[in-house]
Amino acid sequence: MATLSTPLPLRALTLRQLQFFSVLVEEGQFGRAAKRLAITQPALSNAIKQMEKLLGAELLTRSTHRLELTPVGAEVLVRTDFLVHSFAVALRDIEGMVQRGRAFVRIGVIPSASARVAAAASEFLKTGEREVELAWRDAPSTALLAELRSGQLDMAVAAITEPPGGLTCIDLLRDPLVLVVRRDHALAAAGGATWEAIGRERLVLFESGSMPALGNPARAQFAQGTEPWRVSYSETLYALVRSGQALGLMPRLYTAPLRDPELAVVPLLEPRIERRVVLAYLPGPMRNMVAQELIAFLRERLPQAGQATARRMANGTRTRRHG
């Protein structure tokens, strides 16, 4: 079986040099980076020059006031950050196992799916035989996927419209766009609405998280009407709908905790525009067995939770329609 061999000069690269390079790019200045690393500026500069010599390529262009990555430097940084983050997490994992007998797993989740993922993770902790420490990160999908690639997360539940490169993605559920309307609006009693039924009413579009990617197909449906407002927080959308100024447009998951007697959620039909909610992780060996077990558990439980939520929403819609 053939094995990959590292070119001899690169074998001289050290983790410390990689850490120096990562911190320098993050700080953007030799002085701040050296202070953070508790070394002198000449020592930091020499370490970066040694890296460039070993690699046979320039990583940074230097000027009096700023540093810029070269194209090669940008590619090296992605791999450097992955190694540095993975090493730091591995040390924390080892410490947790040795000192507290706990495995360490990092989960990223989009806010709209956090309740469902947290409930499933809690079930996993209760049924598991090993002590587990979970670290949570909530952020938009783009940030979670970037942190997953850089080794800062073990897994992420994210919303996508196109398959992200370099990651394994397990489909969990589909999250369609829905309308949020006042309870006394004519569409609230219909149990569902076509795009034509919206007519020329003003819409307020929720554009947080993955919504910008859904914006184009959604906007194509109401291009003939008034230009929609765009907001970044669900509270603002609900306020505008409650005041009668607009109809709200957002993914269904965001409406799951909505308990407002003045507002109703109406499924949007013909065409159905939706985002994919996936469980994503890096291909290849997992950092620890517990992370692998949690991925398998979430893969099994989260689609079931999604189906149950859809049934509850459908039942609630029928109840409102009939009385």
Side-chain angles (χ1 to χ4, degrees):
M1 182 172 133
T3 58
L4 294 175
S5 60
T6 305
L8 286 174
L10 290 185
R11 294 180 187 177
L13 274 175
T14 66
L15 178 64
R16 187 168 176 81
Q17 287 172 323
L18 297 177
Q19 289 171 327
F20 286 178
F21 178 55
S22 181
V23 171
L24 175 59
V25 174
E26 188 175 325
E27 293 293 341
Q29 187 185 76
F30 275 93
R32 288 197 300 265
K35 184 176 181 180
R36 177 174 158 186
L37 292 164
I39 61 173
T40 65
Q41 282 188 234
L44 177 57
S45 180
N46 287 335
I48 300 303
K49 288 178 181 177
Q50 182 64 21
M51 270 191 72
E52 292 177 321
K53 182 179 179 181
L54 292 171
L55 290 167
E58 190 177 47
L59 300 176
L60 298 160
T61 56
R62 302 158 176 83
S63 66
T64 306
H65 301 292
R66 59 187 301 181
L67 294 172
E68 289 187 0
L69 285 166
T70 65
V72 172
E75 291 292 338
V76 171
L77 179 65
V78 173
R79 293 154 178 81
T80 296
D81 282 348
F82 178 79
L83 289 171
V84 170
H85 292 142
S86 297
F87 180 75
V89 171
L91 287 182
R92 181 172 175 180
D93 198 20
I94 292 170
E95 179 189 31
M97 287 300 298
V98 172
Q99 296 186 2
R100 299 186 297 278
R102 293 180 179 178
F104 177 57
V105 180
R106 304 154 304 163
I107 306 176
V109 61
I110 51 174
S112 56
S114 58
R116 191 173 297 175
V117 178
S122 179
E123 185 182 351
F124 173 81
L125 294 175
K126 292 175 183 177
T127 58
E129 297 179 356
R130 284 182 275 188
E131 289 288 326
V132 182
E133 178 184 353
L134 298 181
W136 292 90
R137 163 75 164 139
D138 63 331
S141 296
T142 50
L144 294 179
L145 297 178
E147 291 175 16
L148 192 57
R149 290 189 184 94
S150 68
Q152 298 176 69
L153 296 172
D154 292 307
M155 66 197 73
V157 174
I160 64 172
T161 54
E162 298 291 337
L167 298 173
T168 299
C169 289
I170 307 298
D171 275 296
L172 299 176
L173 53 102
R174 299 296 175 115
D175 189 23
L177 294 185
V178 295
L179 277 179
V180 180
V181 303
R182 280 173 56 105
R183 185 74 65 178
D184 57 5
H185 193 281
L187 290 176
T194 63
W195 287 89
E196 289 77 10
I198 297 172
R200 293 185 173 275
E201 292 202 52
R202 168 80 76 173
L203 285 169
V204 54
L205 180 64
F206 184 68
E207 285 210 329
S208 181
S210 60
M211 267 300 290
L214 293 177
N216 288 335
R219 277 190 284 272
Q221 305 305 317
F222 51 77
Q224 75 281 4
T226 308
E227 181 68 14
W229 291 324
R230 295 169 178 82
V231 298
S232 300
Y233 296 94
S234 58
E235 291 85 353
T236 307
L237 182 143
Y238 295 147
L240 291 171
V241 174
R242 199 180 294 114
S243 67
Q245 298 184 59
L247 307 183
L249 186 65
M250 67 196 314
R252 184 174 64 191
L253 270 179
Y254 282 94
T255 68
L258 180 62
R259 302 289 184 271
D260 192 318
E262 296 183 58
L263 301 178
V265 178
V266 180
L268 260 174
L269 313 170
E270 301 176 9
R272 180 182 168 101
I273 298 174
E274 59 190 11
R275 59 183 186 164
R276 293 167 55 194
V277 178
V278 301
L279 175 62
Y281 54 93
L282 283 167
M286 298 299 297
R287 184 175 49 80
N288 63 46
M289 289 299 297
V290 176
Q292 185 174 332
E293 292 166 2
L294 180 54
I295 285 175
F297 189 89
L298 295 178
R299 180 178 183 174
E300 174 73 19
R301 290 295 192 277
L302 291 178
Q304 296 175 359
Q307 293 164 8
T309 299
R311 285 195 296 270
R312 286 196 297 271
M313 288 190 67
N315 291 335
T317 301
R318 285 195 293 272
T319 300
R320 291 194 297 270
R321 185 167 68 243
H322 290 110

